[in-house]
Amino acid sequence: METGLGDNYSAEDHELHEERKCGLTFLQKFRDFILWVVFKFTTKEGLLGDYNYRYLFTPSYPFRNWINKKRGIELPKVDQPFFSLNEDVPVVLGFLLGLQHALSMLAGVITPPMIISGIANFDELKTQYLVSASLISSGILSSVQITRFKIPFTSYYIGSGLLSVVGTSFAVIGIVSKSIPVMYTSGFCPTSSDGTRLPCEDGYGAILGTACCCALLEILLSFTPPKILQKVFPKIVTGPVVLCIAVPLIQSGFNDWVGGSGCVGAICPFEGGPQAAPWGSAKFIGLGFLVFFTIIICEKYGPPIMKSCAVIVGLIVGCIVAAAAGYFTPSTIRIAPAVTFFWVHTFKLRVYGPAVLPTLVMFVVLAQEAIGDITATSDVSRLEVEGSLYESRIQGGILSDGLSGILSPLFTVTPMSTFAQNNGVISLTKCASRQVGYWCCFFMIVMGIFAKFGAALVSIPKPVLGGMTTFLFTTVAVAGLKIISTIPFTRRDRFVLTGCLLPGFGAILVPNWFDYVFTYTGDNHALSGFYDAIILVMESSFTICGIFAIILNLAIPQELDEELIDDIELQQENLSVLDGQRSPKISTVLSNKAREAKGLSSGNDTIGNYEMKNNANIDLSTSYSS
């Protein structure tokens, strides 16, 4: 459909166009909608367009370039059209790319509820329900993030207005893995007479209720200018925190890879279970490695439509082999209902005091992650990453993220946040249209409503699931490393990183290091709960890492050290050479330390034919800040 604004109109033009459309009568809007639907489903342009679909499904293969060179064949370069944010997309292309987006984020959505259900000792029916509810919540909340609603009578928005998807946050797994054991120890969660831990529904409800309240912090942060937010919580704070979130998850995923995190040192999956064997058996390791190897092959040789969802392809291949080898138990799928929706199972909401501080830290991290994800999505969508519109998108995205933190617990699932897994899909397919995002939401909701799909996911053998989740969790660690790598790495920065990662890694490697500090055994529940809160904070790796990072970052001033000064001077010298201001022998430009090592002074010395002079006009503080 023609909009009258051209193909490359900006987001501001689109919003102005939408405001003008508001003046149309209901009948005119309805007529335009009917004409649009008829055009989309009855014409070749509306259904297929002129997109090169062969490109999406053409795989690579080993030695392809060498074989083509021997045959004298030169492969044509495919130049796919780019679909901008508000551009109309053919129905078939929207369907395919929407499914691709859904598959690219599927693993990230289903993994947390499955792990959390295991920690809370839920039965398979409740686990299936939580997986389905997470998929439905992801579809609904992603549509809010994609749509971008303006708050009446204000300049604020809800949603980024980009093809940003929402999934279950991995950060909450660390809180649950620490809180639930404390709940069992304190009697908050039930145990049988022989000490067996029973399903802890009240504990799970307490996690949901705590998240509902703590999400208000992220909503408050959404009204803070992004520049101020980034100054208070810079990358030197959020990078180590994300890394400390990921490392324990990798450990959990690797335990599943070699048999199962719930049967370490025993028979997996249980005595008399399908293909039962001791934890760490070669067949478990091999099955998990098959998933990992398939992911690598997909990335190397898969077609574009497969590369961005390589994790799911690996999971499917692993499931096929596991089913053929007898690892599956079809009874769990058979007893699952045909369809489901929210509130089939409900949980009593309450606030669990010891988990409040870690949850607040989590939402601060989620706000920072939302800024990074929205910036990355804007970049691959070929939109501006600075200016008022960009900052407005950041504000709306964080606000939508905070509302997701409130709504998702009300939907009986743990907090959801903005994901960046689908940015690779946008980059590969050159399609950033929000229409594709709505197709993605449609598929997520449909997959969630049909409960048999969730039941099939829950019945996946642990080694197959571990091969997928270990890869997925490691990508989170890499994201943390990427954040850390962008800081200047002065001596002060290295000290701050060391000071915050020390307690963070310590809490990971020695998870119960703070258990014996408080030995109170009285009946004062308030005091006991206060001690539990301190223990939970000290043993939650990302929480203690974040606290130390904030304190050290604020307490220790930033100073230019000798290495950074040398680097700045060296860069200035190189730039001068490239500008033709001095001799073009770039290789002779040395830092002060290099000159000292050669027995030269750091002042005015001649090295070969090149005269080294300190640039007296360099403002080092300005150079560093820029």
Side-chain angles (χ1 to χ4, degrees):
M1 288 292 290
E2 294 293 334
T3 61
L5 296 174
D7 292 333
N8 297 318
Y9 61 94
S10 66
E12 296 97 325
D13 294 331
H14 175 76
E15 292 176 2
L16 180 60
H17 178 63
E18 292 297 320
E19 291 177 2
R20 290 173 179 170
K21 285 171 61 179
C22 294
L24 299 176
T25 64
F26 173 77
L27 290 178
Q28 289 173 319
K29 292 179 182 179
F30 183 74
R31 183 198 63 185
D32 290 345
F33 175 75
I34 295 298
L35 292 175
W36 179 79
V37 171
V38 171
F39 167 79
K40 296 289 287 185
F41 288 92
T42 60
T43 65
K44 180 181 178 181
E45 183 182 354
L47 280 172
L48 299 174
D50 57 355
Y51 194 83
N52 185 359
Y53 292 90
R54 182 181 178 182
Y55 163 77
L56 288 178
F57 296 95
T58 302
S60 179
Y61 51 85
F63 309 110
R64 183 183 66 171
N65 293 335
W66 181 80
I67 293 173
N68 289 331
K69 185 177 180 180
K70 287 292 184 181
R71 296 173 61 190
I73 299 175
E74 184 176 353
L75 294 178
K77 183 178 179 182
V78 178
D79 188 16
Q80 294 289 79
F82 181 79
F83 292 92
S84 59
L85 189 65
N86 301 303
E87 197 165 349
D88 210 11
V89 176
V91 173
V92 174
L93 181 63
F95 180 92
L96 290 174
L97 297 186
L99 179 61
Q100 188 181 9
H101 278 272
L103 292 176
S104 70
M105 59 182 294
L106 178 62
V109 174
I110 67 173
T111 299
M114 295 172 69
I115 294 177
I116 291 170
S117 294
I119 297 172
N121 297 293
F122 287 163
D123 58 30
E124 290 184 342
L125 282 177
K126 283 192 177 63
T127 305
Q128 294 168 7
Y129 162 74
L130 291 180
V131 169
S132 295
S134 295
L135 291 169
I136 299 171
S137 300
S138 174
I140 294 175
L141 297 175
S142 293
S143 64
V144 175
Q145 184 74 281
I146 293 169
T147 302
R148 182 171 160 87
F149 301 94
K150 186 172 184 179
I151 302 176
F153 310 110
T154 70
S155 59
Y156 297 108
Y157 288 84
I158 300 174
S160 65
L162 303 171
L163 211 171
S164 301
V165 292
V166 174
T168 316
S169 172
F170 290 133
V172 75
I173 299 176
I175 296 175
V176 174
S177 64
K178 286 296 181 181
S179 299
I180 296 293
V182 172
M183 292 178 183
Y184 278 111
T185 303
S186 64
F188 192 90
C189 292
T191 56
S192 62
S193 57
D194 61 354
T196 303
R197 293 180 174 182
L198 302 176
C200 186
E201 295 189 16
D202 287 346
Y204 181 75
I207 296 294
L208 297 182
T210 305
C212 269
C213 296
C214 294
L216 295 172
L217 174 62
E218 189 172 7
I219 292 177
L220 179 64
L221 292 175
S222 70
F223 297 104
T224 305
K227 292 181 180 179
I228 297 178
L229 194 62
Q230 290 173 344
K231 286 183 179 180
V232 178
F233 305 105
K235 293 179 180 180
I236 199 171
V237 173
T238 56
V241 171
V242 173
L243 184 60
C244 286
I245 288 173
V247 173
L249 298 180
I250 297 172
Q251 181 184 24
S252 174
F254 211 74
N255 281 332
D256 281 338
W257 182 328
V258 296
S261 56
C263 57
V264 178
I267 300 297
C268 298
F270 51 85
E271 290 282 355
Q275 293 292 334
W279 183 85
S281 294
K283 63 180 181 180
F284 294 149
I285 297 175
L287 190 58
F289 183 79
L290 173 65
V291 178
F292 177 54
F293 181 73
T294 304
I295 294 172
I296 296 174
I297 294 298
C298 287
E299 180 63 29
K300 175 65 176 176
Y301 301 114
I305 201 167
M306 184 184 291
K307 286 185 177 181
S308 54
C309 50
V311 173
I312 291 299
V313 176
L315 189 68
I316 292 172
V317 172
C319 287
I320 292 173
V321 174
Y327 283 84
F328 273 92
T329 51
S331 58
T332 58
I333 303 176
R334 198 177 300 119
I335 63 175
V339 295
T340 188
F341 203 68
F342 297 137
W343 309 299
V344 171
H345 297 282
T346 57
F347 306 91
K348 187 185 298 182
L349 298 180
R350 64 179 69 181
V351 175
Y352 183 63
V356 169
L357 186 56
T359 308
L360 289 174
V361 174
M362 179 191 74
F363 278 109
V364 171
V365 174
L366 293 185
Q368 282 295 103
E369 285 184 344
I371 294 176
D373 293 343
I374 293 169
T375 302
T377 306
S378 297
D379 186 45
V380 297
S381 301
R382 303 185 184 181
L383 298 172
E384 59 275 12
V385 290
E386 59 182 8
S388 59
L389 180 59
Y390 163 73
E391 292 183 355
S392 176
R393 294 192 187 281
I394 294 293
Q395 175 273 312
I398 297 176
L399 180 55
S400 178
D401 221 46
L403 291 175
S404 296
I406 293 177
L407 293 176
S408 50
L410 296 180
F411 294 159
T412 67
V413 295
T414 50
M416 294 201 158
S417 62
T418 306
F419 270 21
Q421 278 90 334
N422 68 318
N423 285 340
V425 183
I426 299 174
S427 179
L428 280 172
T429 61
K430 295 185 179 180
C431 182
S433 174
R434 293 192 293 185
Q435 289 184 13
V436 172
Y438 293 128
W439 275 109
C440 172
C441 297
F442 167 77
F443 282 115
M444 298 299 291
I445 294 173
V446 169
M447 287 188 290
I449 289 177
F450 289 98
K452 296 289 185 182
F453 181 78
L457 295 173
V458 172
S459 64
I460 294 174
K462 291 297 184 181
V464 176
L465 190 67
M468 180 267 291
T469 57
T470 304
F471 186 89
L472 199 65
F473 294 151
T474 306
T475 63
V476 179
V478 172
L481 292 174
K482 180 182 178 182
I483 295 172
I484 294 174
S485 67
T486 59
I487 64 177
F489 269 95
T490 62
R491 181 185 181 280
R492 178 261 188 191
D493 292 334
R494 292 195 295 270
F495 183 87
V496 172
L497 287 172
T498 303
C500 65
L501 286 174
L502 185 153
F505 285 161
I508 295 170
L509 298 173
V510 189
N512 59 346
W513 71 282
F514 210 75
D515 281 355
Y516 306 100
V517 174
F518 301 113
T519 57
Y520 176 74
T521 57
D523 56 359
N524 188 330
H525 295 292
L527 182 59
S528 179
F530 176 70
Y531 288 153
D532 288 343
I534 298 176
I535 293 172
L536 187 61
V537 169
M538 300 301 291
E539 292 185 351
S540 296
S541 58
F542 73 91
T543 306
I544 191 65
C545 175
I547 292 173
F548 270 78
I550 292 172
I551 294 174
L552 292 175
N553 182 61
L554 295 176
I556 301 177
Q558 181 67 274
E559 295 179 356
L560 291 176
D561 58 15
E562 183 181 355
E563 291 181 6
L564 188 61
I565 293 174
D566 283 348
D567 288 342
I568 294 173
E569 290 179 342
L570 184 59
Q571 291 173 15
Q572 293 284 351
E573 294 280 3
N574 284 334
L575 288 175
S576 297
V577 172
L578 292 175
D579 288 339
Q581 297 175 9
R582 297 177 182 175
S583 172
K585 293 185 179 181
I586 301 177
S587 59
T588 60
V589 180
L590 302 176
S591 67
N592 287 339
K593 284 190 174 182
R595 297 173 193 175
E596 293 171 1
K598 289 180 176 290
L600 302 172
S601 66
S602 60
N604 300 331
D605 286 305
T606 301
I607 305 175
N609 296 324
Y610 186 85
E611 184 178 7
M612 306 296 295
K613 292 183 179 180
N614 287 328
N615 190 345
N617 297 322
I618 296 176
D619 185 346
L620 294 179
S621 61
T622 304
S623 300
Y624 175 75
S625 63
S626 62

